[in-house]
Amino acid sequence: MHHDGELTHPAVDDFDLVEVLQALGDPVRLQIVRILDAGAGAIACHEMGLPVSKSTGSHHLKVLREAGVVKGKIDGTRRYYTLRRTDLEARFPGLLDSVLHADAVATARNR
Amino acid sequence: MHHDGELTHPAVDDFDLVEVLQALGDPVRLQIVRILDAGAGAIACHEMGLPVSKSTGSHHLKVLREAGVVKGKIDGTRRYYTLRRTDLEARFPGLLDSVLHADAVATARNR
DNA sequence: GGAATCATTCGACGAACGTCGAACGTTGGA
DNA sequence: TCCAACGTTCGACGTTCGTCGAATGATTCC
């Protein structure tokens, strides 16, 4: 069957700073963002190796998606996710980069 | 009279990204950061005109302080707060600026 | 068609959060 | 000395959050 049920995503103008900061302010979700940043191309939920159950992982992806941080694409039974780099940069210049770089620094420091 | 009770603040190396993002991910706390950014010099809690009770305001200042976002200085019965700009920039380069700028844009847009 | 795969949704649970008013401790001024 | 001002702390409250397993839905493969 064909279900053209595309996932819903907020428009760039509807991004909310508090919502984005809350979305990024969780260890698991920050890990997801880091994975999507490091990976080349779209990544499916089950390929991320998250330290939570699949339902929890799905929940976190939903939070990130509704905040505008990630974009989900349906492909069969899978959802491939990517970072909305350009959109985030347009709405909150420098924010994603600073978060990713800060996170990389922290990771290197605690190694 | 004597006042050896200095407020405690985390060292720059102990800043935690998730904690900072969570601290910034609240409307009232973001308002406090905006006020401290706009104001020249230290500002006391009761001068901020926060839309919450004094106990709630005190709580939010504590969250920001323990995350390393603000620095509190005791002066008599008052606590004067400032942004830890330099420390935040050293630990999370560009983060505070991007949050403040994004916030300013959002505020101008919803005017 | 049937089974396996992938992900979402649905309760449920405890923990954490934002909020308040009241009480308290300090300090400074009349 | 007494009182007003400022802020913190304490309990309480309702809400939201992160988590899980089970159930459900959708799709692909055999």
Side-chain angles (χ1 to χ4, degrees):
Chain A
M1 285 296 189
H2 64 75
H3 235 46
D4 57 26
E6 286 299 315
L7 295 174
T8 63
H9 300 87
V12 178
D13 285 347
D14 291 336
F15 286 3
D16 178 61
L17 178 59
V18 170
E19 198 177 348
V20 169
L21 291 173
Q22 283 177 339
L24 296 176
D26 176 271
V28 177
R29 292 196 289 264
L30 207 49
Q31 179 178 352
I32 293 173
V33 171
R34 210 186 310 142
I35 291 171
L36 293 179
D37 174 61
I43 301 179
C45 183
H46 73 284
E47 298 173 322
M48 298 184 186
L50 300 177
V52 293
S53 71
K54 60 179 182 176
S55 55
T56 302
S58 182
H59 163 69
H60 285 309
L61 262 319
K62 183 180 181 183
V63 172
L64 288 171
R65 181 169 52 83
E66 291 180 341
V69 177
V70 306
K71 182 166 178 302
K73 190 165 179 52
I74 297 180
D75 179 27
T77 69
R78 305 174 180 189
R79 275 86 174 139
Y80 284 100
Y81 288 94
T82 53
L83 277 179
R84 294 182 68 177
R85 293 177 194 280
T86 306
D87 293 338
L88 284 170
E89 183 64 22
R91 185 73 178 76
F92 307 124
L95 180 58
L96 183 60
D97 282 346
S98 64
V99 168
L100 285 171
H101 182 254
D103 193 49
V105 171
T107 301
R109 210 172 53 89
N110 297 333
R111 194 177 36 194
Chain B
M1 188 106 175
H2 61 86
H3 65 292
D4 57 350
E6 285 298 316
L7 295 174
T8 63
H9 300 87
V12 178
D13 285 347
D14 291 336
F15 286 3
D16 178 63
L17 179 59
V18 170
E19 198 178 348
V20 170
L21 291 173
Q22 282 177 338
L24 296 175
D26 176 272
V28 176
R29 293 197 288 264
L30 207 49
Q31 179 178 351
I32 293 174
V33 172
R34 211 187 308 143
I35 290 171
L36 293 179
D37 174 62
I43 301 178
C45 183
H46 73 283
E47 299 173 324
M48 298 184 186
L50 300 178
V52 292
S53 70
K54 61 177 181 176
S55 55
T56 300
S58 181
H59 163 70
H60 285 309
L61 261 321
K62 184 180 180 182
V63 172
L64 288 171
R65 180 169 53 81
E66 292 180 340
V69 177
V70 304
K71 182 168 180 299
K73 191 165 177 52
I74 297 180
D75 181 25
T77 68
R78 305 175 181 187
R79 276 89 174 138
Y80 284 100
Y81 288 95
T82 53
L83 277 179
R84 294 182 67 176
R85 293 178 194 278
T86 306
D87 292 338
L88 284 170
E89 184 64 22
R91 185 74 177 75
F92 307 123
L95 180 59
L96 182 61
D97 282 347
S98 65
V99 168
L100 285 170
H101 183 253
D103 194 48
V105 171
T107 302
R109 209 171 53 90
N110 297 333
R111 193 177 39 194

